[in-house]
Amino acid sequence: MSGAVAIGVDVGGTKLVAATIAADGTVLERRRQSTPAGDGDQVLRTVLEIVEVLDDGTLPIGVGIAAIVDPEGTVRYGPNIGVRDLPLAARLREETGRPAIVKNDATAAAYGESRVGAGRDAASMVMLTIGTGVGGGIVLDGRVVEGRGGFAGELGHIIVSDGGRRCPCGNRGCVEAYASGSAIALMARERLVDREVESSLREVVQLDGKDVTSAAQSGDGFARQVLVEAGGWLGVAMASLTNILDPDLILLGGGASIQAGEFMIPAAREAMIERLIGRKHREPPVVAAATLSDDAGMIGAALLAAGQR
Ligand SMILES: [Zn+2]
C-alpha cells in the first residue's frame, strides 16, 4: 500500500493486531486475530502470516509485545502469552529478509506517543499505561530507554507504600497494586463490603476497572473517590519519576484510563507536586492523557522499525 513505511504488530495477551503504518502514524490497513497462547513458534507463524497478508513487499516489521524483551529483540519472558527466550526479531529477519525490531509493548507505546501522539512536542517524556497492570515507557531526548537487559521502564513496580498492598509481581506496595484496572476494581469491591457505602457499583456482577470508570462518569461519588485515590497513588510514583528524570511530560495511557483521566489526572498532579524537590522553584512536568489509544504500541513499533532502514 502506498504511503506505508512499516508494519506495526501489537501482540497482547489475548489478541494480535497488525497494520500498515504511514510516516505520520496513520493506521492504513488493519488486521486482527486471537493470540496463539503458550507457544513461541505459533506466535512467530501468526506474525509471519499477518505480515504477508498486509504487504507482499519488503516493508520493515515492528512488533510490540506484552513481555520483557532484551535490546536484541529476544522475548525473555511474557507471562500472559506464555513465551520465554524467543529470538523473535532475529527469526523474523531470517524468515522474511526484512528489517525487524521487537520491543516491550509499553515501551513501543511511549515511543509512538512521543513521535506522533500527545508527546510530539516533548523532548523527554514518561508514559504510564493503565490496563490490567501498570506498564511504562521512558523516552529521553527522542530515544527509548531500555536498560541493560530490557528491564527498564517497569514503572508499575515503583514502590509507593513499603509493606503495602500485594502486587502480582510478588512485592508489596507497588503502584500497580493501587492504580491498575484490577487494583481499582479490587479496592472498590473491598469497600463495598461496608453496607453503609452507597454506590451503583453494588449491583455490578464481576466488577472491573471499566465499571468503576463508567460509574464515575455517571456521577457515582463512591466510584469517583476510588479513582481520585488511585490517581493520588500514581502521583506519588510520578513524583519519584520526576525527581529522577525531570521530564517535560508525563502521559497516562491505556484505553480505559483516557476516560478515567478526568478523575485521576488532577489527583495525580496534585500528589506529585506536593512531593517534588524544589517545587516552589520549578515548572512541574505537564500531566496529560495519551492520544493514540490502544494503537500506540503498534504505531510506535512500526516507526521504530522504519527508523532502522
Ligand atoms: Zn509489583
Side-chain angles (χ1 to χ4, degrees):
M1 177 171 291
S2 68
V5 292
I7 296 173
V9 186
D10 180 12
V11 183
T14 55
K15 67 179 194 293
L16 191 152
V17 187
T20 43
I21 306 291
D24 66 356
T26 304
V27 175
L28 300 169
E29 189 185 349
R30 179 194 302 259
R31 290 277 187 280
R32 65 180 277 172
Q33 60 182 87
S34 50
T35 301
D39 183 337
D41 268 341
Q42 290 259 24
V43 171
L44 173 68
R45 291 288 139 218
T46 307
V47 173
L48 287 170
E49 279 166 26
I50 212 163
V51 162
E52 285 297 319
V53 171
L54 284 167
D55 168 60
D56 57 7
T58 60
L59 285 176
I61 304 163
V63 178
I65 185 166
I68 289 167
V69 183
D70 76 13
E72 278 71 53
T74 293
V75 179
R76 288 283 163 218
Y77 175 54
N80 296 324
I81 302 171
V83 174
R84 271 170 197 259
D85 297 323
L86 171 70
L88 186 56
R91 295 285 306 277
L92 285 169
R93 287 193 288 264
E94 273 164 32
E95 299 271 347
T96 64
R98 306 174 189 230
I101 59 104
V102 179
K103 300 287 175 199
N104 166 267
D105 56 354
T107 300
Y111 186 73
E113 291 286 349
S114 81
R115 282 285 305 277
V116 295
R120 68 173 73 204
D121 297 323
S124 297
M125 57 156 264
V126 173
M127 181 160 151
L128 289 155
T129 307
I130 317 291
T132 311
V134 174
I138 302 170
V139 180
L140 296 181
D141 300 321
R143 293 175 65 97
V144 293
V145 176
E146 297 180 86
R148 183 174 69 169
F151 288 78
E154 289 293 334
L155 308 182
H157 305 284
I158 294 174
I159 292 176
V160 292
S161 175
D162 192 29
R165 295 177 70 88
R166 191 174 287 284
C167 179
C169 76
N171 289 332
R172 282 185 173 275
C174 300
V175 69
E176 176 166 309
Y178 294 85
S180 69
S182 322
I184 287 168
L186 184 59
M187 288 193 294
R189 284 199 299 267
E190 286 169 0
R191 287 172 201 190
L192 287 167
V193 170
D194 178 354
R195 288 278 143 199
E196 302 283 300
V197 172
E198 282 180 39
S199 171
S200 58
L201 292 172
R202 207 174 270 297
E203 319 304 321
V204 179
V205 184
Q206 291 191 322
L207 177 70
D208 66 15
K210 287 180 183 141
D211 297 319
V212 179
T213 300
S214 312
Q217 287 179 311
S218 311
D220 187 298
F222 168 76
R224 286 185 178 186
Q225 186 50 41
V226 171
L227 291 180
V228 164
E229 212 170 296
W233 287 108
L234 275 179
V236 176
M238 288 174 181
S240 285
L241 284 166
T242 301
N243 286 331
I244 297 167
L245 298 171
D246 192 19
D248 299 297
L249 173 69
I250 300 179
L251 287 182
L252 276 196
S257 73
I258 292 172
Q259 281 98 45
E262 174 188 353
F263 308 102
M264 291 173 84
I265 287 175
R269 194 168 182 281
E270 191 180 332
M272 174 186 76
I273 289 172
E274 278 173 15
R275 291 167 177 81
L276 289 185
I277 293 301
R279 62 187 171 280
K280 293 195 175 75
H281 311 282
R282 69 188 291 171
E283 280 290 312
V286 172
V287 181
T291 54
L292 301 179
S293 192
D294 292 336
D295 289 337
M298 181 173 76
I299 294 169
L303 295 178
L304 278 164
Q308 303 264 307
R309 261 231 148 135

